[in-house]
Amino acid sequence: STWGLLYYSFSDNMLSLLNLLKNYNLARNFNTGRFINRLPLQIIKKKMSPIRIHFVYTQEYKQHSRAVENIRESILEKRPDLEFVDVIQKEAMDSISVNELRQARIVIGSPDAVLPNLELYNNLVWWQSTWDGFDIISNQFPDKLHHFNRFLFTRVGGPNGCGKDMAESVIGWIIANERNFRGILANQLQRKWVNRFYMVSSNGFRNINQLSITILGLGDIGQCLVDSLRGFNPKIYGIVSRERDEKYPGVSEYFTTENMIEAFSKSDYIINILPSTDQTRGLLSRSVLETCANKSPVFINIGRGDIVNELDIVEALDKQWLSTAILDVFATEPLPIDNPLWSHPKVIISPHSVCNNSRCHGVDVFLENLELFEAGKPLNYVVDNVYRGY
């Protein structure tokens, strides 16, 4: 219809105008992606029948994982009206694939698949990442960040992302540590029947409701952890970047990074979920770890490895500032075989595995966002400040 043609024309012209302003520097620091997310999306999205989704992934991912098929099948099961276009990222892209990237308006794909040719996505309106974090992009691909001004970027967040996986991993480790499952297994391997003295202390194990737990980072993943812990009724302290007027349900007290040592001094567990940014790298310094000596807490890191120096962890364990370190992330991954953490008796190493990537955990996030997109509403888990890293 005439209205439809005007509608589509306005859609393309709006994007062209925004990019023109950006290209000619007529709007300094203008973020097209943020602007788009604040407009009724009926104005800027082109309705397609069926809607075409470009699914971009690496050859390695295709060969070593069924996740590609799982994601496609799970989405099409709920939205059979969608048309999927597969594009495999290669070092040398063929002309057909290049043409598809130039036409793509909605993309699902991991950053390692999309970023190498990001400049080709001329018509991109929305990229749904299959990763939960953005900090790896901002740290490892700073030369690509300027492209993010011209489209929406959403990550996999919340309970339908990695939140539940990470929360359940943390609770599992707390229970395993409090009940000394490692000691029980060691006794089994030695065929020892020890029914009393496998406990962490002579007083027996502690239940979670007896624990004080500090969580660094109360974004959507941190809130998932709080929600999961709340049923066990521990005392929860939250570390945030700035003071908040309202408390998230289940958080007993907030601290900022300026006074977080007050929380550390009365914590049984310290759990890091923070991303890697200029503000968080090295945040848990040697002097900060030393303030933990009062209760010698367990340190669980499922955020990013560069929040702490690994040699400082070893010293903190040896000097009993920390009682145990349960680590899923590291400054260098894979962890080098000569790293002292491997052989330390108070360390548990998890190889960046708290999130189940073989399961298509991003499907529900994408489908929810697609409904919002079609309804012209703001999307969830938008990264609106790429230089901040989240």
Side-chain angles (χ1 to χ4, degrees):
S1 68
T2 303
W3 282 111
L5 290 172
L6 288 172
Y7 182 89
Y8 297 153
S9 176
F10 186 78
S11 166
D12 288 334
N13 289 336
M14 172 63 77
L15 287 175
S16 299
L17 175 60
L18 295 179
N19 286 320
L20 186 67
L21 288 172
K22 183 69 180 176
N23 292 338
Y24 285 91
N25 203 27
L26 296 177
R28 284 187 114 177
N29 301 320
F30 189 80
N31 189 315
T32 307
R34 293 180 67 182
F35 183 76
I36 288 171
N37 203 40
R38 285 158 176 76
L39 283 175
L41 285 179
Q42 298 100 318
I43 293 176
I44 58 89
K45 70 186 180 75
K46 176 181 285 186
K47 287 184 178 290
M48 292 164 281
S49 182
I51 296 176
R52 301 183 83 222
I53 308 296
H54 284 75
F55 189 15
V56 185
Y57 49 87
T58 63
Q59 185 69 44
E60 182 181 18
Y61 190 64
K62 170 74 172 176
Q63 290 175 343
H64 296 93
S65 174
R66 237 199 79 80
V68 170
E69 287 76 14
N70 288 343
I71 290 173
R72 186 192 302 106
E73 291 168 6
S74 298
I75 290 176
L76 291 177
E77 181 182 354
K78 296 180 179 180
R79 287 293 303 267
D81 57 308
L82 301 178
E83 177 186 339
F84 261 79
V85 180
D86 286 58
V87 180
I88 300 177
Q89 168 61 37
K90 302 174 184 175
E91 210 167 303
M93 300 288 286
D94 59 73
S95 59
I96 296 176
S97 297
V98 168
N99 187 53
E100 287 295 345
L101 296 185
R102 293 189 187 280
Q103 295 181 46
R105 296 176 69 87
I106 301 175
V107 166
I108 301 176
S110 60
D112 60 340
V114 177
L115 282 170
N117 292 303
L118 190 56
E119 61 279 357
L120 295 178
Y121 294 77
N122 298 332
N123 290 295
L124 185 59
V125 175
W126 166 34
W127 169 14
Q128 172 67 62
S129 174
T130 56
W131 290 4
D132 60 317
F134 186 84
D135 53 342
I136 294 177
I137 299 175
S138 56
N139 291 336
Q140 297 184 9
F141 301 93
D143 58 318
K144 300 284 187 177
L145 294 183
H146 67 281
H147 290 292
F148 285 80
N149 283 339
R150 56 186 174 82
F151 56 83
L152 284 170
F153 176 86
T154 53
R155 60 183 184 82
V156 173
N160 288 326
C162 284
K164 286 182 180 178
D165 291 351
M166 298 174 88
E168 290 182 14
S169 292
V170 168
I171 292 172
W173 282 327
I174 291 174
I175 293 172
N177 183 68
E178 290 301 318
R179 286 156 176 73
N180 193 18
F181 285 177
R182 284 199 295 176
I184 294 174
L185 179 59
N187 289 334
Q188 177 184 340
L189 294 174
Q190 297 178 52
R191 301 181 182 230
K192 288 184 179 180
W193 181 274
V194 184
N195 64 356
R196 290 187 61 193
F197 303 108
Y198 65 82
M199 306 299 184
V200 173
S201 70
S202 58
N203 297 322
F205 59 76
R206 300 171 294 184
N207 290 318
I208 294 179
N209 68 341
Q210 298 172 277
L211 302 175
S212 296
I213 299 173
T214 291
I215 302 174
L216 286 92
L218 284 178
D220 55 90
I221 294 175
Q223 290 172 10
C224 283
L225 177 55
V226 173
D227 291 341
S228 298
L229 285 169
R230 200 162 54 203
F232 296 95
N233 199 31
K235 184 176 285 294
I236 299 175
Y237 304 121
I239 309 298
V240 293
S241 58
R242 58 187 180 277
E243 293 184 3
R244 299 186 181 183
D245 295 328
E246 295 183 6
K247 290 182 180 178
Y248 189 76
V251 178
S252 302
E253 193 173 354
Y254 279 106
F255 298 86
T256 67
T257 52
E258 300 295 324
N259 64 347
M260 62 185 177
I261 59 175
E262 184 181 341
F264 293 169
S265 66
K266 52 186 181 182
S267 294
D268 299 303
Y269 283 78
I270 296 172
I271 302 165
N272 175 53
I273 310 179
L274 291 170
S276 174
T277 68
D278 292 340
Q279 290 71 40
T280 62
R281 280 188 283 276
L283 181 65
L284 301 184
S285 62
R286 180 186 181 278
S287 60
V288 169
L289 294 177
E290 191 172 2
T291 66
C292 299
N294 181 48
K295 294 197 75 172
S296 191
V298 176
F299 175 54
I300 299 178
N301 193 4
I302 59 172
R304 290 290 183 253
D306 59 7
I307 195 172
V308 62
N309 185 301
E310 289 161 0
L311 293 180
D312 289 343
I313 295 177
V314 171
E315 181 182 5
L317 293 168
D318 291 342
K319 293 184 176 179
Q320 298 184 354
W321 302 340
L322 299 174
S323 61
T324 303
I326 302 171
L327 310 172
D328 183 66
V329 289
F330 305 88
T332 301
E333 297 182 4
L335 187 66
I337 58 174
D338 59 349
N339 191 296
L341 292 173
W342 281 112
S343 56
H344 200 288
K346 296 180 180 180
V347 172
I348 295 176
I349 291 175
S350 169
H352 207 134
S353 57
V354 294
C355 193
N356 183 4
N357 288 323
S358 64
R359 180 171 58 82
C360 38
H361 61 267
V363 166
D364 289 336
V365 174
F366 169 73
L367 290 173
E368 288 173 7
N369 267 339
L370 183 59
E371 284 188 19
L372 294 170
F373 184 87
E374 291 174 307
K377 298 178 180 179
L379 308 188
N380 294 324
Y381 313 116
V382 174
V383 177
D384 62 1
N385 190 332
V386 297
Y387 295 97
R388 187 176 58 193
Y390 58 94

